[in-house]
Amino acid sequence: MSDELKTASIPSLRRLPAYYRFCKQLAETGRQVVSCPHIARELHLDPTQVRKDLAMTGMVGKPRVGYTIGELLAGIEGYLGWTNTTDAFLAGAGNLGAALMGYPGFADYGLNIVAAFDEDPAKIGTTLHGRPVLAMDRLPDLAERMHVHIGIVTVPASAAQSVADLMVLSGIRAIWNFSPTRLDVPDSIILEHVSLTASLAVLTSRLAESLKRSS
Amino acid sequence: MSDELKTASIPSLRRLPAYYRFCKQLAETGRQVVSCPHIARELHLDPTQVRKDLAMTGMVGKPRVGYTIGELLAGIEGYLGWTNTTDAFLAGAGNLGAALMGYPGFADYGLNIVAAFDEDPAKIGTTLHGRPVLAMDRLPDLAERMHVHIGIVTVPASAAQSVADLMVLSGIRAIWNFSPTRLDVPDSIILEHVSLTASLAVLTSRLAESLKRSS
């Protein structure tokens, strides 16, 4: 599985949660089996692409029958590391941090945000959706003792790099960056950036063009 | 400009906010001019790519001098439609909705969330970061009267499609979808999906691989 993982393309990885959600919905209606063309049709994808993506997780459908939904769900969960819930620390207990702590979907995908960290004395010692908000300088010691590998950055842009540096020094291996800035981290650190401003740029420029065409 | 816009690639559009932020930082230190290789080096990009991206906005640097930073900022703002603040309605006044309403960066990028809409009687009539939370069924009438073109979807997955349908019927032209589900909308509607679970899938699978390699 290790070799397959290395060759997995980012677009393929990004599609797996959609397959997972669709199969989960089907399972809830009592269905046992699903075909590749059915998944492709529902998600507006090419069937060959779907087959290739699912093969990546080790799943192969039976000709003229399809995939057993239960096996498919287990295959995706295992492949994405969702079977073992992954503990994470979140830095920045503001609005966005609180939203992520309260996001009900993450537990289904194996993510468990165990604590938030902040610099603000007014926030330290409180709880956020049942999880403690701790002083930022406690992060290194706790990350090491609790073997936490994922750090979520929801501090403002100006503080993001120093928080990322602290996480790297604390043994954090993967950083999920929600701040509107690019982070410099060693090559060995896995970095995934959710850039709201990049997404907004695509939306507003395409809207401007669409309004111009129709005016 | 219209023809150029049509050929603008999504990756290029997504890079423009990063150029904008970097040039804004330089401007704040009093600099007037920046070269293409300087931008490229700072953002870890290829200089040819940077030149091509900026040419898209109509900006051309002077040989051996570079770009006038003020003109570059204005060029990007104009190209992305950020000079005219774009009004938006947000549906779903939960944690994520509140986080987006309170996000300080959006105003800089021309987005103005003027109101939130929700089904929850406990939320209707309250305010969120100074903006009103209104009953969902008031959205169509207000969108039409206020000529609001952008709809932001932060409701749970189960409600997302019906909210998107309501937005399309209300004359909304662009939907920014934060719910963890794919939306079916007419081809004429601009749809931009921020998929947190897709991003999480990339992060967790790469972390699982990295931990396996080092164990």
Side-chain angles (χ1 to χ4, degrees):
Chain A
M1 194 164 119
S2 169
D3 283 347
E4 289 157 17
L5 247 172
K6 271 175 216 157
T7 60
S9 76
I10 299 295
S12 295
L13 286 174
R14 291 181 63 94
R15 281 189 290 270
L16 290 179
Y19 302 145
Y20 185 82
R21 268 192 304 274
F22 176 57
C23 291
K24 198 105 183 173
Q25 279 167 16
L26 285 183
E28 281 161 13
T29 67
R31 279 188 70 127
Q32 309 270 330
V33 178
V34 65
S35 74
C36 181
H38 183 178
I39 299 175
R41 207 163 49 239
E42 184 67 27
L43 301 176
H44 300 254
L45 294 167
D46 176 59
T48 312
Q49 185 67 67
V50 173
R51 190 167 289 113
K52 218 179 120 195
D53 289 345
L54 293 176
M56 196 171 73
T57 70
M59 291 297 121
V60 183
K62 285 198 191 77
R64 274 189 293 268
V65 177
Y67 302 90
T68 307
I69 291 176
E71 285 175 16
L72 204 52
L73 290 171
I76 297 174
E77 283 171 8
Y79 187 71
L80 292 179
W82 288 347
T83 24
N84 297 317
T85 296
T86 311
D87 288 347
F89 279 167
L90 179 144
N95 284 306
L96 185 59
L100 296 178
M101 301 280 281
Y103 198 79
F106 288 154
D108 296 346
Y109 300 123
L111 185 75
N112 178 31
I113 306 176
V114 290
F117 295 83
D118 207 286
E119 293 278 4
D120 182 355
K123 287 176 184 160
I124 296 166
T126 64
T127 61
L128 214 48
H129 298 281
R131 269 71 53 88
V133 181
L134 307 170
M136 194 71 87
D137 60 13
R138 295 194 54 197
L139 193 148
D141 180 47
L142 285 170
E144 209 178 329
R145 275 166 46 199
M146 296 173 72
H147 301 282
V148 169
H149 294 306
I150 299 180
I152 305 174
V153 176
T154 51
V155 295
S158 57
Q161 185 62 53
S162 65
V163 161
D165 293 344
L166 185 72
M167 285 178 170
V168 171
L169 286 173
S170 311
I172 293 281
R173 301 280 290 268
I175 293 179
W176 204 11
N177 178 26
F178 285 83
S179 81
T181 195
R182 206 184 56 78
L183 295 177
D184 257 320
V185 295
D187 286 344
S188 61
I189 302 294
I190 292 147
L191 184 63
E192 178 69 12
H193 188 192
V194 176
S195 174
L196 298 184
T197 51
S199 176
L200 181 60
V202 175
L203 188 87
T204 55
S205 66
R206 291 175 63 200
L207 176 62
E209 175 60 14
S210 158
L211 292 174
K212 211 180 297 166
R213 264 201 306 269
S214 65
S215 65
Chain B
M1 193 166 123
S2 168
D3 281 349
E4 288 157 16
L5 246 171
K6 272 174 212 155
T7 60
S9 76
I10 300 295
S12 295
L13 286 175
R14 291 181 63 94
R15 281 189 291 268
L16 290 179
Y19 302 145
Y20 185 82
R21 267 192 304 273
F22 176 55
C23 291
K24 197 104 184 174
Q25 279 167 16
L26 285 183
E28 281 161 13
T29 67
R31 279 187 72 126
Q32 309 269 331
V33 180
V34 65
S35 73
C36 181
H38 183 180
I39 299 176
R41 210 165 46 239
E42 184 67 26
L43 300 176
H44 300 255
L45 294 166
D46 177 58
T48 312
Q49 185 66 68
V50 173
R51 190 168 290 113
K52 216 178 123 197
D53 290 345
L54 294 176
M56 196 171 74
T57 70
M59 292 297 120
V60 183
K62 287 199 190 76
R64 274 188 294 266
V65 177
Y67 303 90
T68 307
I69 291 177
E71 285 175 17
L72 204 54
L73 290 172
I76 296 174
E77 283 171 7
Y79 187 72
L80 292 178
W82 288 348
T83 25
N84 297 317
T85 296
T86 311
D87 288 347
F89 279 168
L90 179 145
N95 283 306
L96 186 57
L100 295 179
M101 302 279 282
Y103 198 78
F106 288 154
D108 296 344
Y109 300 123
L111 185 75
N112 177 30
I113 306 177
V114 289
F117 295 84
D118 208 286
E119 293 277 4
D120 183 354
K123 286 177 184 160
I124 295 165
T126 64
T127 61
L128 216 47
H129 298 281
R131 268 72 52 88
V133 180
L134 307 170
M136 193 71 87
D137 60 13
R138 294 195 53 198
L139 194 147
D141 180 47
L142 285 171
E144 210 178 329
R145 275 167 45 199
M146 297 174 71
H147 300 281
V148 170
H149 293 308
I150 299 181
I152 305 174
V153 176
T154 50
V155 295
S158 57
Q161 184 62 53
S162 64
V163 161
D165 293 343
L166 185 72
M167 285 179 170
V168 170
L169 286 173
S170 311
I172 293 281
R173 302 278 292 268
I175 293 180
W176 205 11
N177 178 26
F178 285 83
S179 81
T181 194
R182 207 185 56 77
L183 297 177
D184 257 320
V185 295
D187 287 344
S188 61
I189 302 294
I190 291 147
L191 185 63
E192 179 69 14
H193 188 192
V194 176
S195 176
L196 299 184
T197 50
S199 175
L200 181 61
V202 175
L203 188 87
T204 54
S205 65
R206 292 175 62 200
L207 176 63
E209 174 61 14
S210 158
L211 292 172
K212 211 180 296 165
R213 265 202 306 270
S214 66
S215 67

